[in-house]
Amino acid sequence: KTRPMEYRVAQLEALGRFLDDKKQEILEATELDMGKPSFEAFFSEILLCKNELNVTLNNLCQWMKDEHVDKNLVMQLDSAFIRKDPYGVVLIIAPWNYPIHLFLVPLIGAIAAGNCAIIKPSEISKNTERLIAETLSCYLDSDCFAVVTGGVPETTRLLENKFDYIFFTGSPPVGRIIMTAAAKHLTPVTLELGGKNPCYVSDTCDVTNVARRVAWGRFFNAGQTCIAPDYLLCTIEMQEKLMPALREAITEFFGPNPRESPDFGRIVSDKQFQRLRALLGSGRVAIGGQTDEAERYIAPTVLADVLPSDPAMQEEVFGPILPIVVIANMDEAIDFINARPRPLAVYAFSCDSKIVNQVLERTSSGGFCGNDTLMHASLTSLPFGGIGNSGLGKYHGKFTFDTFSHHRGCLHRNMGLEALNAPRYPPYTQQKLGLLTSAFEVKRRGTCTLL
Amino acid sequence: MERMQQVVGRARAAFRSGRSRPLEFRMQQLKALERMVQEKEKEILAALKADLNKSGPNAYSHEILGVLGELALTMEKLPSWAAPQAVKKNLLTMRDEAYIGYEPLGVVLVIGAWNYPFVLVMQPLIGAIAAGNAVVVKPSEVSENTARLVAELLPQYLDKDLYAVITGGVPETTELLTQRFDHILYTGSSAVGRTVMAAAAKHLTPVTLELGGKSPCYIDKDCDLAVACRRITWGKYMNCGQTCIAPDYILCDPSIQSKVVENIKATLKEFYGEDVKSSPDYGKIVNQRHFKRILGLLEGQKIAYGGETDEASCFIAPTILMDVSPESKVMEEEIFGPVLPIVTVRSVDEAIEFINLREKPLALYVFSNKKQLIRRVIAETSSGGMTANDVIMHSVVPALPFGGVGHSGMGAYHGRFSFETFSHRRACLIKDLRWEVLNKLRYPPGSMEKMNLAKLLLLKQCSKSRVAQFVSALLAALKAVVAKVSFVSLLSL
């Protein structure tokens, strides 16, 4: 049922209508859940999703086609191609920080690839969860697509079932549990996890622009972004220079009292709020630091002179707090980054492109952005995923379609020309072997020789 | 076992030194591997003969030829595979550099199998080296001569620290799997595949599992039976049926069953002569355990041909079973031996249903003159890979991915796919620190003008009729945004 292109297109277009019709409800639900500013919600939950939808609808026909491949001499009359088969029933588990985007974008690829899907939104973003559970079924074919709600016990039970693919976005510890459960059924997985994304700022840079771009990336969604710059690495002189620039940027963005700004979010839960408040003791509070428990408000905060042993450096921050760790030079920064688990993103700021390239070449991470934050995730032509502790697999754009399809190698041979096959049959002889070798072996193009 | 930790630790330190990354180094190692295969051909063939009784030309064409081909292809294509891939940009990133960089993963583990012990260790190794990784190789202990040879030869030709061989059985492999790797490629059974994936999950290590299953082979009434049966006979009985993509069982109409048997019988005589046991081209079952297992599958079956066995030499004659019941033992597990059951079905619909009721196989075969029928079988089933009107051959096309789906595995390799399996595709976006004006669109405070402009710049729907809309909206919104920017900062750009 899900195989014909028309069906997939119809479901995808229905998803588009969901985004259009329910735009207001989505903005309201995410605001209730984590005080998500409507500008941000529109950008990440609606705009970026529509982008992915359009890319997919525009290219689906192309992506679904059999890919014909190179053949050797003996197979010239045969047809060799890669067929994109759906896996079957896929499970998409989404987190609470971008609750619509992080189930919808994988779902787009799953539908495009011809699968059925079970969607498990996060119970922590309660209002969005309810919205999805109540309204999605009005748009999608309920035979093939279903929403399951619940917390840890329900998810554990859900994972006992056999799925043909599991797509999980969340924390590394839970990622391990998901993969272990998947192993029982030999289910392939994509895990979009997290880590501490380092942000190196060199001494040669435009401080104002750096401060703006870093502040934007850090405080978007009140810091609750998997690819947010987690901590800054710079020299003590740069820390001095950055501080007023960061203060200026924060005021420019949120006004003198961010608590009153409609453009600054809140922390999603009491548990997260308390966790973040405990991190404020690291280093010294240079900017912000105010909190309000009732509102789950934490001011845009910058911590200076943070030590590697401080609490803020022991876990992914995932909040509106930017620790600055002072290092002596770029080499020390690179060593610092490489001594730690590989993150989802690495950021480097410098007017000198050679420095940006050095950081890129000497580190390893899911993705990399030079002289900006977050933006590499908005290009649908770039793969989005982690490495090591920050995850496995990738998606966005065509990569989502490829993630949810099985690439099947197919060879359609001619029944005739049996004589060509003779060299491979027993009885085996050296002569036959010679023929086989010349027919199949790929000859290396040698260096040019003068005739 | 500290030795494991030491070996893996040394490989990791060697990888961290960065010397496996430059293309010249990788080419040098691949060239050394090529030299090894060419210089030690005799020793490799001797090991394969000792382990599986593979004859010279047979072993050469099934194991060595493939490896040399893969080496040649990889060395030729590596520069283009490893080159950064520029990607399409949107309006917002027009001035930036956006590309995908191919980077090594780190230390990869390759676990080989015993049925094609040389190629199943070498092919993944080639891809892993080409991608710039350090590699730990764990050949199957069941094919002990080849394992020993690989352990002896690799250090003679390759960088000793970066590429290591660990030998041993289940306890050693279990211990090895507690170490942290950056990718594991395992070839073997589904049961062990589960164990490998569960061990990998502890370290969040990605895996490629090349497993097995029962690869069905449907023979349509409308096809050249002589040719079909010859090709099937070749694929089924090579290596004594111990091939992961061998046609496991046949599905055909009852009316052609006897003809199929006759054709296969005739072909067998053509291939192996009157006395199969004395043919140098027929292999043997790898060990007593598998010999007994396959013997057990013959119980209660109608043997149309063959069935002779000799425990001492682990010999089982090429055997055909007729009118096999779908519920019998021989139809439950992967046979992995020279026993070919025929199950009758009355139509292609029944065949497709039969196949889909079972776990997804590694390979699927269909023989027919009707293109439409073949297309239907492909479209209505799922398998790792497939070949129509032949068997095995899809696995020798280097441009096709080789891997399973469902219980038959996950991930794929061969050729470029090996390189990609062992690489990390890193998204890279390099922006300019200047040109801050465009960025102002996304900064708070938010506004409708900013949102509309962002929509136009990001959203992909560029159709010609919208261009005029776009230009006027752009100007209007830019005016609103720029009005907030002081003249001085504009001048300073």
Side-chain angles (χ1 to χ4, degrees):
Chain A
K1 193 176 178 193
T2 57
R3 301 258 191 160
M5 193 175 104
E6 300 72 39
Y7 178 86
R8 305 183 199 187
V9 169
Q11 297 301 303
L12 290 172
E13 286 176 344
L15 268 186
R17 279 196 313 273
F18 166 77
L19 286 174
D20 287 331
D21 296 346
K22 298 294 168 192
K23 176 178 120 181
Q24 206 42 48
E25 285 88 334
I26 292 174
L27 298 186
E28 280 162 13
T30 52
E31 209 213 332
L32 283 170
D33 282 330
M34 66 203 96
K36 207 188 266 277
S38 30
F39 186 84
E40 287 183 6
F42 187 79
F43 186 78
S44 68
E45 307 306 282
I46 313 272
L47 196 63
L48 288 180
C49 296
K50 291 218 86 177
N51 211 18
E52 290 278 345
L53 212 54
N54 292 338
V55 168
T56 305
L57 283 167
N58 288 346
N59 294 290
L60 186 55
C61 190
Q62 201 49 41
W63 294 351
M64 277 174 69
K65 283 207 181 98
D66 290 337
E67 249 177 74
H68 286 264
V69 300
D70 286 338
K71 298 170 290 197
N72 60 24
L73 220 64
V74 181
M75 292 191 189
Q76 282 310 310
L77 290 176
D78 307 322
S79 174
F81 56 94
I82 302 174
R83 162 68 53 95
K84 321 291 171 71
D85 282 337
Y87 275 108
V89 179
V90 315
L91 172 64
I92 297 172
I93 302 178
W96 51 261
N97 57 336
Y98 294 89
I100 300 286
H101 182 118
L102 292 175
F103 91 82
L104 204 119
V105 175
L107 181 61
I108 290 171
I111 295 177
N115 300 285
C116 291
I118 307 280
I119 297 138
K120 163 68 190 78
S122 170
E123 71 283 11
I124 295 177
S125 44
K126 296 193 291 292
N127 297 282
T128 320
E129 183 200 38
R130 197 181 315 128
L131 176 68
I132 300 169
E134 284 170 8
T135 60
L136 201 62
S137 52
C138 307
Y139 292 86
L140 294 180
D141 182 342
S142 49
D143 282 343
C144 304
F145 308 103
V147 178
V148 174
T149 55
V152 173
E154 287 83 1
T155 312
T156 311
R157 266 215 314 278
L158 185 62
L159 285 169
E160 284 166 17
N161 292 291
K162 176 180 173 159
F163 291 97
D164 301 301
Y165 203 95
I166 297 178
F167 189 102
F168 169 77
T169 308
S171 71
V174 182
R176 280 190 192 85
I177 297 172
I178 305 277
M179 190 169 170
T180 309
K184 293 201 180 72
H185 296 290
L186 287 171
T187 301
V189 300
T190 291
L191 306 173
E192 297 274 328
L193 310 175
K196 292 182 75 60
N197 305 317
C199 182
Y200 169 67
V201 180
S202 85
D203 285 334
T204 52
C205 69
D206 181 330
V207 179
T208 318
N209 288 350
V210 171
R212 273 209 203 94
R213 296 175 189 194
V214 171
W216 176 72
R218 172 76 278 187
F219 302 119
F220 196 92
N221 201 26
Q224 296 160 116
T225 309
C226 53
I227 41 166
D230 188 273
Y231 63 96
L232 221 69
L233 287 168
C234 64
T235 59
I236 196 142
E237 295 83 27
M238 184 44 59
Q239 189 185 232
E240 280 316 294
K241 286 201 210 130
L242 268 176
M243 216 51 85
L246 283 167
R247 202 171 284 121
E248 165 97 34
I250 292 172
T251 313
E252 204 182 292
F253 292 170
F254 309 118
N257 187 1
R259 203 164 142 191
E260 288 163 12
S261 165
D263 297 320
F264 185 70
R266 296 290 182 270
I267 307 307
V268 75
S269 70
D270 294 324
K271 183 170 154 202
Q272 291 294 323
F273 174 86
Q274 271 139 28
R275 179 187 67 79
L276 285 164
R277 194 170 51 184
L279 301 181
L280 290 171
S282 313
R284 68 182 158 83
V285 177
I287 303 175
Q290 302 90 345
T291 67
D292 180 321
E293 188 154 359
E295 263 185 55
R296 290 199 294 269
Y297 165 81
I298 297 183
T301 302
V302 179
L303 303 172
D305 300 320
V306 176
L307 297 171
S309 53
D310 281 331
M313 288 306 291
Q314 303 315 313
E315 54 182 81
E316 187 175 355
V317 173
F318 224 68
I321 300 170
L322 180 64
I324 303 183
V325 175
V326 166
I327 39 85
N329 51 47
M330 181 189 72
D331 288 319
E332 221 184 274
I334 291 176
D335 288 340
F336 191 94
I337 295 171
N338 288 339
R340 286 161 175 72
R342 289 182 287 191
L344 199 44
V346 166
Y347 298 109
F349 285 84
S350 181
C351 284
D352 183 351
S353 63
K354 280 202 283 298
I355 293 184
V356 171
N357 273 309
Q358 280 253 327
V359 178
L360 166 59
E361 275 164 31
R362 289 164 60 187
T363 60
S364 179
S365 60
F368 178 90
C369 188
N371 293 329
D372 209 338
T373 55
L374 310 189
M375 292 306 283
H376 62 289
S378 69
L379 248 193
T380 55
S381 51
L382 282 177
F384 183 74
I387 184 176
N389 251 42
S390 53
L392 52 97
K394 56 198 167 296
Y395 73 126
H396 282 191
K398 179 166 191 272
F399 299 102
T400 325
F401 175 84
D402 286 338
T403 288
F404 286 108
S405 37
H406 167 57
H407 290 221
R408 188 182 189 188
C410 302
L411 178 65
H412 184 158
R413 299 211 76 193
N414 206 295
M415 273 278 225
L417 297 172
E418 185 60 358
L420 281 179
N421 279 344
R424 76 189 197 201
Y425 297 139
Y428 301 121
T429 64
Q430 279 301 126
Q431 204 179 32
K432 283 184 177 178
L433 187 57
L435 282 169
L436 272 181
T437 309
S438 49
F440 274 101
E441 195 171 9
V442 176
K443 293 263 183 313
R444 252 196 97 193
R445 249 179 255 139
T447 50
C448 273
T449 50
L450 288 167
L451 287 166
Chain B
M1 291 187 197
E2 281 156 40
R3 197 176 90 83
M4 306 271 176
Q5 257 182 333
Q6 270 175 12
V7 170
V8 180
R10 243 198 331 264
R12 194 164 287 288
F15 175 74
R16 283 227 174 94
S17 77
R19 67 174 182 276
S20 64
R21 303 182 77 133
L23 278 189
E24 303 76 49
F25 178 85
R26 305 183 206 181
M27 292 288 237
Q28 189 199 77
Q29 297 297 305
L30 292 173
K31 243 228 151 303
L33 262 187
E34 192 182 53
R35 254 190 353 259
M36 178 187 96
V37 176
Q38 287 162 342
E39 287 170 14
K40 299 291 175 187
E41 182 188 307
K42 266 214 294 289
E43 286 87 337
I44 298 169
L45 293 178
L48 291 170
K49 180 117 175 74
D51 283 328
L52 288 147
N53 202 27
K54 284 195 203 194
S55 69
N58 182 7
Y60 191 90
S61 65
H62 292 174
E63 304 229 25
I64 296 190
L65 201 60
V67 173
L68 288 174
E70 188 86 343
L71 276 164
L73 175 71
T74 306
M75 284 192 281
E76 183 189 330
K77 299 279 188 186
L78 184 54
S80 70
W81 291 347
Q85 216 177 27
V87 298
K88 251 171 81 178
K89 298 181 280 197
N90 57 23
L91 283 165
L92 218 53
T93 44
M94 255 319 137
R95 291 194 76 256
D96 310 319
E97 248 186 273
Y99 62 90
I100 302 172
Y102 287 87
E103 302 179 357
L105 292 167
V107 181
V108 321
L109 173 63
V110 173
I111 302 178
W114 52 259
N115 56 336
Y116 292 87
F118 188 65
V119 64
L120 290 177
V121 143
M122 291 295 290
Q123 248 184 324
L125 175 64
I126 291 168
I129 294 178
N133 301 285
V135 193
V136 174
V137 172
K138 180 19 216 117
S140 170
E141 71 285 9
V142 177
S143 46
E144 45 182 0
N145 297 284
T146 314
R148 200 178 314 127
L149 184 67
V150 169
E152 268 169 33
L153 291 182
L154 282 193
Q156 287 175 27
Y157 287 82
L158 301 179
D159 183 309
K160 288 192 196 30
D161 292 324
L162 280 170
Y163 314 108
V165 181
I166 293 203
T167 53
V170 174
E172 287 82 3
T173 313
T174 312
E175 177 61 38
L176 190 56
L177 284 170
T178 61
Q179 299 297 312
R180 189 199 182 114
F181 293 97
D182 301 299
H183 194 103
I184 300 177
L185 188 147
Y186 166 76
T187 308
S189 72
S190 305
V192 180
R194 281 189 189 87
T195 313
V196 173
M197 188 172 173
K202 295 203 175 69
H203 296 290
L204 289 170
T205 300
V207 298
T208 298
L209 303 174
E210 298 275 328
L211 309 175
K214 294 183 75 62
S215 301
C217 181
Y218 175 68
I219 307 178
D220 185 32
K221 276 192 282 203
D222 179 5
C223 85
D224 185 335
L225 268 182
V227 172
C229 291
R230 185 180 292 123
R231 298 180 181 186
I232 293 171
T233 308
W234 169 71
K236 174 74 201 186
Y237 298 106
M238 71 161 70
N239 204 26
C240 228
Q242 297 161 120
T243 307
C244 51
I245 42 170
D248 187 276
Y249 63 95
I250 289 180
L251 290 168
C252 70
D253 192 279
S255 62
I256 55 168
Q257 198 183 188
S258 325
K259 266 196 267 173
V260 167
V261 175
E262 287 312 310
N263 273 298
I264 297 179
K265 260 163 78 168
T267 312
L268 281 169
K269 292 214 172 74
E270 203 186 298
F271 288 175
Y272 304 114
E274 287 298 329
D275 180 20
V276 181
K277 202 147 173 239
S278 60
S279 164
D281 299 322
Y282 190 70
K284 70 175 182 82
I285 306 302
V286 73
N287 61 23
Q288 288 284 322
R289 181 167 74 87
H290 281 284
F291 174 89
K292 289 198 174 85
R293 178 186 64 78
I294 301 167
L295 206 58
L297 300 176
L298 293 175
E299 269 167 54
Q301 294 297 338
K302 183 167 153 190
I303 297 181
Y305 184 71
E308 300 91 18
T309 66
D310 175 24
E311 188 159 342
S313 56
C314 283
F315 166 82
I316 298 182
T319 303
I320 311 171
L321 306 174
M322 277 176 80
D323 294 319
V324 177
S325 148
E327 282 81 41
S328 53
K329 194 141 183 269
V330 75
M331 286 307 291
E332 264 171 42
E333 54 178 82
E334 187 176 355
I335 295 166
F336 226 67
V339 172
L340 180 57
I342 304 180
V343 175
T344 55
V345 288
R346 297 204 173 264
S347 64
V348 73
D349 301 279
E350 224 183 282
I352 291 174
E353 210 190 303
F354 189 94
I355 294 169
N356 287 340
L357 276 174
R358 288 162 171 72
E359 295 296 344
K360 297 179 196 173
L362 190 49
L364 185 143
Y365 302 112
V366 51
F367 286 83
S368 175
N369 284 331
K370 301 206 277 280
K371 278 208 174 101
Q372 210 22 50
L373 185 141
I374 291 178
R375 265 190 229 124
R376 223 193 114 190
V377 173
I378 300 179
E380 293 178 25
T381 60
S382 182
S383 64
M386 64 84 58
T387 301
N389 293 334
D390 206 342
V391 298
I392 314 279
M393 297 304 283
H394 63 284
S395 66
V396 308
V397 180
L400 285 178
F402 183 72
V405 65
H407 275 212
S408 55
M410 59 180 78
Y413 73 122
H414 281 193
R416 171 172 67 92
F417 302 99
S418 297
F419 177 81
E420 288 180 1
T421 288
F422 293 114
S423 303
H424 171 56
R425 276 181 261 190
R426 190 179 190 192
C428 300
L429 180 64
I430 319 274
K431 297 188 79 106
D432 204 301
L433 254 187
R434 303 160 297 169
W435 290 95
E436 190 63 353
V437 180
L438 273 181
N439 277 353
K440 287 193 176 289
L441 289 173
R442 70 194 203 209
Y443 297 149
S447 70
M448 265 337 279
E449 298 108 348
K450 281 190 182 180
M451 196 20 70
N452 289 331
L453 190 55
K455 246 164 74 169
L456 284 161
L457 286 174
L458 268 184
L459 229 40
K460 286 285 174 148
Q461 283 166 327
C462 259
S463 69
K464 290 192 168 60
S465 61
R466 285 176 65 95
V467 174
Q469 259 184 358
F470 165 72
V471 172
S472 57
L474 174 69
L475 289 174
L478 255 182
K479 252 192 351 200
V481 167
V482 166
K484 295 187 181 178
V485 178
S486 80
F487 210 68
V488 177
S489 49
L490 248 184
L491 285 176
S492 70
L493 274 176

